[in-house]
Amino acid sequence: MLKLKPKFDLYSDVVSDILRKEASVCRVKEYSGAVDTRILNIERDGGILYSWKGATGTTRIGKFDSNTKQNKLLYTFDKQVCVSSCSLNKEETLLAVSLAQNTRGEERLKPISKCLTLLIEIHPINNTKVLKAVDCRVKVQFLHSESDRRSVLESHLLLLTEDGYVDLYHVLLTRQEGYRMVMAYPERLSKAAERVVEDFCWLQWDGHTQRVYYLTHHVTHTQDKFLMQCVQFYPNHNCETVLEFPFELPANPFHTVNFVNLGFDHYHVERPEQELVRMKVFTNRIERSMYVCSSQHLKDKQELIYTVLLVHTGCSKTFRVSLGGDQKGTQRHPIFIPIGYHIVVYLQDYFLHLINTRQQEMLCHSLFLSGLDVDLGLQCQSANVTVLHAEEESSGSLLDLASGRIHTAELRPAFLLQILRSDTPSRCPSSKTDPQRLAALHCLLVYMGNDPNLELKIIEWLCDNVNAFESFDQIQEFILASLYRISYEKSLSLDKVLPYSSVLDKKEIPACLLEVPGVLCTTELHIEPVFKGKARSLQGFWSELQWNTEKTKYLDAIPNPRFRTSDIQADWDKLPSRDGVTCFRGQRRAHPATKITSRRTQRNKKLVPLFQEEDYQQRVLIGLTVDKLREHLNRHLPRLGKKKIDSLVVNYVAKLLELIRHMLESVWLKYKLGPHVLCFTQQGSPAEWSVLHFMFRILEATRGLCLPLPPGYHTLLAVFAVRCLPHHTFLQYIDHGFLQLTETFVSRLMKDLDNSDAKERLKFSILKRLPEPMDQRIYHMWDHPISSASISRDYVRTLLEKLNKNKGFAFTGRDKPGFRPEFLPLTYLAKILSDIEEQALNPFEEQENVDARFVEETALKQTLILLGFEEK
């Protein structure tokens, strides 16, 4: 599921170098002693601090530079010590360490504190200042500003204690003898310390963003209350609380004060059985999002509960997973790994849950795997794995403390493609694998969709699995998810207003998509976070997070914030005609289509003949789509401005047409089709039949969504159909609306096909199905006696109609539709007499005692005069 890429190896990057140096010190060819190298901390710049026992029996501290891949000795103690916490300032002039002191043996009789915290000058090695000597754990961490200045004469150090408080030390430096960096007024350090946090029971340091997240605990008469707060340290090293919100936890969640991301203490052993709750906070600068992940193990019920609080959306997702009675390991809590906008929840030997935090409305868009599918390929127990995360990075890293290896964790597209192809080891029935396929498809399209090679593999899978799945239409999902990704890259604001799945628009969602076997999910609204201090006016992450929170709150309060393509259908059905000729009311809407189709025409590679003809029906539908989408965005995202919205809408529809063209082009290349497929005189091959089937599925998918197709699509589809289908089946497809007769298609068919009996019958059948304005133009293209007769009749009709208008007679429309008389002048004469008869007054209606003989003679006389045989 995950691809682990090696990033750091303690042995090859550090230990091998130490062994060479120790051999040089001992003047031996190869040093055979143990160096006991341990990782202590990872600083903001990626530098890895470590300690080892040297050949002389002393403890040394070094740094591995992740950029230059070089090691550097920082400090050597004069004896062997136990370093429990360590940090180096950015200028590499000061080293802070906490030593876990040995109180056993001879030392137990001396009055000695359990923890000694020192501040050491190392440029060059000089004075040492004792900051604290207490009987609780103390963590040390230097602040690293973003300034690139190397001559800064001030450093800032955090001391975080197990007693539940955090002190900030401002250390002034001075330069002596031109190069020596020493502390100025070291005796004032402790007095000048600033208390920034108090009474915490859990604390997490985020070195990349210079933030501290912490929990405070308040006991009331009815329940325990916890408050999550965040302190932001600014480049000027001032700090303030910028965010707070209540957080629900069970009573007594922590056995001792918990420190997260504050180095690695190899002398303090955590007891997993006493750890009721584990927590971790992640932020994503690109997504403008914040997550609080926590897990709770219910020993009595053999269940694991884990919660992902989406701070930016104001809701939390709580999942309950049954582990069964068979305990396969000692690991009680999962690890949380951030990968883009996904949170991977992994419990070794049990399950892996890829939670989609951006599309979190339904369970089916998050991938849940159990059993054999969840092996990450780790060479250790997950209990020994620490997750390292940087807000700027798209994926987290995993540190195996036992082996000293760091791996970058990435999603493995090959595994997700394997899920699409139903080659998973579980081999479940279709209804059970559909949710996994849907989640894998969305992960591939939305998260990894920028890879063109991967997109080609997905289109190939669509072509090989043309029929819709039991619970969703994969082509509809491909279109909507791809458009969602492309549009979201243009503007992050579109994530809540554009559709990403056709499942959400179903009248009745299949039951298999609403639940995942073995997982129970509950969604709860969370109290809105309170932004405080400068966070309300800062530019950057906090202002974006605040705006994202407010936008989400507004959109959640209104019905249907996401654009529904079904809204287009109502207006489309209201149009009086959609044959491309009489749809004059849609011409206003067709105007935006001109810009879109002309842009596509310029970029078309002409591998697939699209965008090469006027398609009035699709132009109207394109314009209607643009109008409805623009109206939706203007209503819900007015902050973007009309100009920006117009650009986004036009780009959305243009990308839709380009996406369909790309699908056809990929299939065209897959089956190695050439220009011969456009020839009417040849029978279609099996490859062309496959393309025809795929094109019908695209037509079905877009009609279901009421989305437009590229101009020329219907023509191309008809060409494939007439080559591949029997003639009677081809005509049935026309009658049932699956095929649309375009003027381009019919005119080419009339010219290219000969007049043999079968093809002549096909032409007659097609002519009968054409609308009247089109058939008149088509007759002029067919060299056949029937077409010549039709042209002659039309010509005579036109002349007689002009004569009729000059004489003032009006047609009453008594002609039967489709009636074609063989001798038009006689028919015209009969029509004139019939119209005159209707317009004349009936003398028998109101008169009695009428002389019938006189009336007959008068009528005959008038008829002869009218026909010009007699004069008045």
Side-chain angles (χ1 to χ4, degrees), residues 769-816:
R769 289 165 170 81
L770 294 179
E772 187 173 348
M774 187 189 297
D775 70 350
Q776 295 176 5
R777 296 190 295 271
I778 296 301
Y779 273 121
H780 287 268
M781 303 177 185
W782 186 24
D783 185 13
H784 191 273
I786 297 296
S787 61
S788 301
S790 176
I791 293 172
S792 301
R793 287 196 302 270
D794 290 337
Y795 180 71
V796 172
R797 175 186 288 274
T798 302
L799 291 179
L800 293 176
E801 285 177 347
K802 288 181 180 179
L803 178 63
N804 183 59
K805 289 179 181 177
N806 292 334
K807 289 190 175 183
F809 294 115
F811 282 95
T812 58
R814 292 176 59 185
D815 289 327
K816 294 183 180 180

Side-chain angles (χ1 to χ4, degrees), residues 295-307:
S295 63
Q296 178 184 355
H297 186 270
L298 301 181
K299 184 176 181 181
D300 296 338
K301 297 183 179 181
Q302 301 300 326
E303 279 186 331
L304 178 69
I305 299 177
Y306 52 97
T307 300

Side-chain angles (χ1 to χ4, degrees), residues 490-676:
K490 296 288 184 182
S491 176
L492 303 185
S493 304
L494 300 175
D495 63 330
K496 296 288 184 182
V497 295
L498 286 183
Y500 61 84
S501 174
S502 61
V503 173
L504 299 174
D505 220 8
K506 289 180 177 290
K507 294 181 180 179
E508 185 176 350
I509 299 176
C512 67
L513 299 182
L514 296 174
E515 57 185 19
V516 174
V519 182
L520 179 63
C521 176
T522 57
T523 303
E524 296 181 359
L525 295 179
H526 197 269
I527 297 177
E528 184 180 353
V530 177
F531 294 89
K532 307 177 70 175
K534 293 182 181 179
R536 291 173 294 184
S537 58
L538 276 179
Q539 297 298 315
F541 173 78
W542 292 113
S543 62
E544 292 296 327
L545 177 64
Q546 185 176 10
W547 181 78
N548 195 16
T549 303
E550 293 172 352
K551 180 195 71 174
T552 303
K553 181 182 178 182
Y554 161 74
L555 293 175
D556 287 345
I558 60 177
N560 302 325
R562 291 197 187 276
F563 179 69
R564 294 176 177 267
T565 57
S566 56
D567 294 340
I568 304 173
Q569 188 71 53
D571 282 15
W572 181 241
D573 292 339
K574 292 178 184 177
L575 295 178
S577 175
R578 301 198 297 270
D579 59 11
V581 179
T582 59
C583 190
F584 295 111
R585 289 176 57 187
Q587 292 305 308
R588 180 186 63 83
R589 290 195 173 99
H591 175 67
T594 305
K595 183 193 302 184
I596 294 172
T597 55
S598 62
R599 183 166 66 174
R600 296 297 99 193
T601 303
Q602 294 170 3
R603 298 181 183 179
N604 185 27
K605 298 179 182 179
K606 296 185 179 180
L607 180 62
V608 179
L610 297 176
F611 302 100
Q612 296 179 8
E613 65 181 81
E614 288 290 338
D615 191 331
Y616 292 101
Q617 182 193 49
Q618 294 306 308
R619 286 185 62 190
V620 173
L621 185 53
I622 290 170
L624 181 60
T625 305
V626 168
D627 282 353
K628 299 297 288 186
L629 184 55
R630 182 196 292 120
E631 177 186 336
H632 185 83
L633 297 187
N634 279 324
R635 182 166 60 250
H636 296 306
L637 295 175
R639 171 179 169 175
L640 293 179
K642 292 185 176 181
K643 186 175 181 180
K644 175 71 172 178
I645 287 176
D646 285 348
S647 174
L648 291 172
V649 168
V650 169
N651 183 74
Y652 184 89
V653 180
K655 290 295 184 183
L656 164 65
L657 303 180
E658 177 66 20
L659 185 65
I660 295 173
R661 184 204 63 80
H662 178 57
M663 292 170 68
L664 288 184
E665 187 175 87
S666 302
V667 176
W668 208 274
L669 292 172
K670 171 182 170 66
Y671 290 106
K672 300 178 181 180
L673 301 185
H676 67 277

Side-chain angles (χ1 to χ4, degrees), residues 89 93-96 118-124 126-131 142 153-155 157 169-176 180-190:
N89 69 344
T93 57
L94 293 175
L95 183 69
L118 306 175
L119 185 58
I120 307 170
E121 298 170 353
I122 61 171
H123 189 73
N126 195 28
N127 296 324
T128 297
K129 169 68 177 177
V130 177
L131 296 181
F142 275 104
L153 297 179
E154 186 177 11
S155 288
L157 175 67
Y169 288 78
H170 303 280
V171 185
L172 298 177
L173 299 173
T174 183
R175 191 183 303 275
Q176 293 180 354
R180 297 168 63 89
M181 298 296 294
V182 299
M183 289 180 279
Y185 314 110
E187 68 278 359
R188 300 181 185 178
L189 276 178
S190 299

Side-chain angles (χ1 to χ4, degrees), residues 409-460:
E410 299 177 353
L411 294 177
R412 192 153 54 96
F415 183 84
L416 297 174
L417 286 171
Q418 188 179 359
I419 293 176
L420 291 185
R421 295 164 182 155
S422 299
D423 292 332
T424 54
S426 55
R427 303 190 185 279
C428 299
S430 175
S431 61
K432 292 186 178 181
T433 57
D434 276 4
Q436 292 184 349
R437 284 199 193 98
L438 183 59
L441 180 60
H442 274 265
C443 185
L444 288 166
L445 290 173
V446 182
Y447 181 65
M448 304 178 176
N450 282 324
D451 184 353
N453 293 327
L454 184 59
E455 188 178 50
L456 285 176
K457 292 179 181 179
I458 298 172
I459 294 175
E460 183 177 348

